[in-house]
């Protein structure tokens, strides 16, 4: 554990692995298994065009349900400056069925795959988690109640941001060029361990931004409108939230810092997370 401090959370005792088709989406073709033979057979059936990951066996499970966090990020430039924006509001996507690592449970996609495209068809269990989704505020309240005030911001939110920066820095090493006002809007799927450590599951291009639930319906318009404001005019576009526009001018161009600063009730928005050469 000294060499791999994440081992207790990731490895666990069941020895579960997850196999995903390369370039897949919506949870299609995902296999969770403890059997090497089953995993090899699934990989061969897809001509080895798969991704295999160690399953995180000790995730945080509110109400005994597995969840992942969907965090939106924008890459607006890679050269000469790497510029990354993170949306201020993430959300949690839950599995409908109770979490377990038995062989029977591992075959239940409604217990292990948190994609809304799958969970919307799950047999009704209870309404404890409406539409199998929590807002960031709901998730933060749950975590702070169990782990202490400020735990979500200090440990989970900070972990998510560190992952996003690592993803951006990896993308910057690829041979990509910005064309015009081009950008990448990514959806990062992140698992939170029972010790509040954060792990990247995958980075999705063209993530779902439909009004599929009450949670996403409240976030998508703000994310879309604010993305247009910062992408088309690099932070100078008209903005109904004046402090946001002022902060962007300060962080991007060195203008005087905004006053007053945004308070906790500020509208959902894209925040500058990284600007590096």
């Amino acid at each position: 554990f000294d060499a791999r401090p994440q081992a207790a959370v990731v490895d666990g005792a069941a020895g579960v692995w997850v196999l995903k088709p390369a370039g897949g989406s919506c949870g299609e073709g995902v296999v969770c298994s403890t059997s090497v033979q089953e995993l090899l057979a699934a990989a061969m059936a897809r001509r080895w065009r798969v991704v295999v990951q160690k399953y995180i066996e000790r995730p945080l499970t509110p109400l005994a349900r597995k969840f992942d966090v969907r965090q939106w990020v924008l890459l607006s430039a890679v050269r000469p400056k790497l510029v990354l924006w993170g949306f201020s509001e993430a959300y949690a996507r839950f599995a409908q069925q109770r979490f377990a690592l038995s062989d029977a449970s591992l075959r239940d996609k409604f217990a292990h795959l948190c994609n809304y495209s799958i969970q919307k068809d799950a047999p009704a269990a209870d309404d404890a988690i409406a539409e199998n989704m929590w807002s960031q505020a709901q998730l933060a309240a749950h975590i702070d109640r169990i782990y202490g005030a400020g735990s979500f911001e200090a440990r989970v939110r900070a972990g998510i941001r560190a992952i996003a920066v690592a993803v951006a820095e990896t993308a910057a090493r690829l041979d990509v060029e910005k064309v015009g006002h081009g950008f990448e809007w990514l959806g990062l799927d992140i698992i939170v361990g029972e010790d509040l450590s954060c792990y990247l599951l995958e980075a999705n291009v063209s993530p779902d931004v439909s009004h599929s639930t009450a949670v996403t319906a409240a976030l998508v318009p703000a994310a879309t409108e604010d993305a247009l404001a910062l992408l088309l005019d690099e932070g100078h576009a008209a903005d109904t939230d004046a402090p946001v526009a002022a902060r962007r001018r300060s962080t991007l161009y060195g203008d005087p810092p905004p006053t007053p600063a945004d308070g906790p009730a500020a509208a959902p928005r894209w925040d500058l997370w990284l600007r590096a050469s």
Side-chain angles (χ1 to χ4, degrees):
F1 288 170
D2 290 339
R4 295 182 62 245
Q6 75 275 24
V9 172
V10 176
D11 293 352
V16 183
W17 292 78
V18 57
L19 177 146
K20 307 174 183 180
S25 62
C26 301
E28 182 180 354
V30 175
V31 176
C32 299
S33 180
T34 60
S35 167
V36 174
Q37 290 76 14
E38 182 180 3
L39 293 167
L40 286 172
M44 285 190 290
R46 294 187 175 275
R47 300 185 178 182
W48 306 103
R49 296 179 58 83
V50 297
V51 174
V52 180
Q53 297 172 300
K54 183 65 187 68
Y55 190 96
I56 296 170
E57 297 189 18
R58 295 174 64 182
L60 183 65
T61 53
L63 305 181
R65 307 256 287 273
K66 180 184 175 183
F67 75 95
D68 65 27
V69 175
R70 170 58 63 89
Q71 172 67 56
W72 293 329
V73 297
L74 278 178
L75 270 173
S76 62
V78 290
R79 297 182 187 86
K81 299 287 186 181
L82 174 60
V83 180
L84 172 72
W85 304 85
F87 197 60
S88 62
E89 298 289 324
Y91 57 95
R93 309 181 307 172
F94 282 82
Q96 174 71 277
Q97 302 301 318
R98 293 175 64 87
F99 176 77
L101 292 177
S102 65
D103 288 343
S105 177
L106 290 174
R107 287 173 169 74
D108 184 356
K109 62 184 179 180
F110 300 125
H112 292 275
L113 305 183
C114 300
N115 312 60
Y116 180 75
S117 57
I118 289 176
Q119 296 301 326
K120 65 181 177 64
D121 297 323
D126 56 61
D127 294 324
I129 302 176
E131 299 180 295
N132 296 312
M133 201 169 285
W134 271 358
S135 67
Q136 179 170 283
Q138 289 173 295
L139 179 61
H142 175 83
I143 289 174
D144 287 355
R145 184 171 60 252
I146 296 173
Y147 293 88
S151 293
F152 176 79
E153 283 294 330
R155 300 172 66 181
V156 177
R157 198 75 182 129
I160 290 172
R161 180 166 176 166
I163 287 172
V165 168
V167 168
E169 291 174 338
T170 300
R173 291 195 290 270
L174 302 176
D175 187 21
V176 294
E177 297 290 340
K178 179 174 178 175
V179 178
H181 289 286
F183 65 95
E184 284 288 348
W185 181 330
L186 304 176
L188 307 183
D189 292 340
I190 295 168
I191 285 282
V192 180
E194 62 180 18
D195 62 352
L196 300 188
S197 52
C198 295
Y199 302 91
L200 176 67
L201 296 180
E202 57 192 33
N204 300 276
V205 296
S206 303
D208 178 26
V209 289
S210 63
H211 297 200
S212 54
T213 69
V215 171
T216 55
L219 298 179
V220 170
T224 304
E225 293 169 12
D226 202 36
L228 291 174
L230 73 89
L231 291 167
L232 295 181
D233 209 21
E234 301 297 336
H236 284 280
D239 197 324
T240 56
D241 188 347
V244 172
R247 184 184 63 252
R248 288 184 182 142
R249 287 194 293 274
S250 174
T251 53
L252 283 172
Y253 302 106
D255 291 349
T259 54
D262 293 339
R269 65 202 183 276
W270 293 97
D271 291 323
L272 184 66
W273 279 7
L274 178 67
R275 183 172 185 261
S277 57

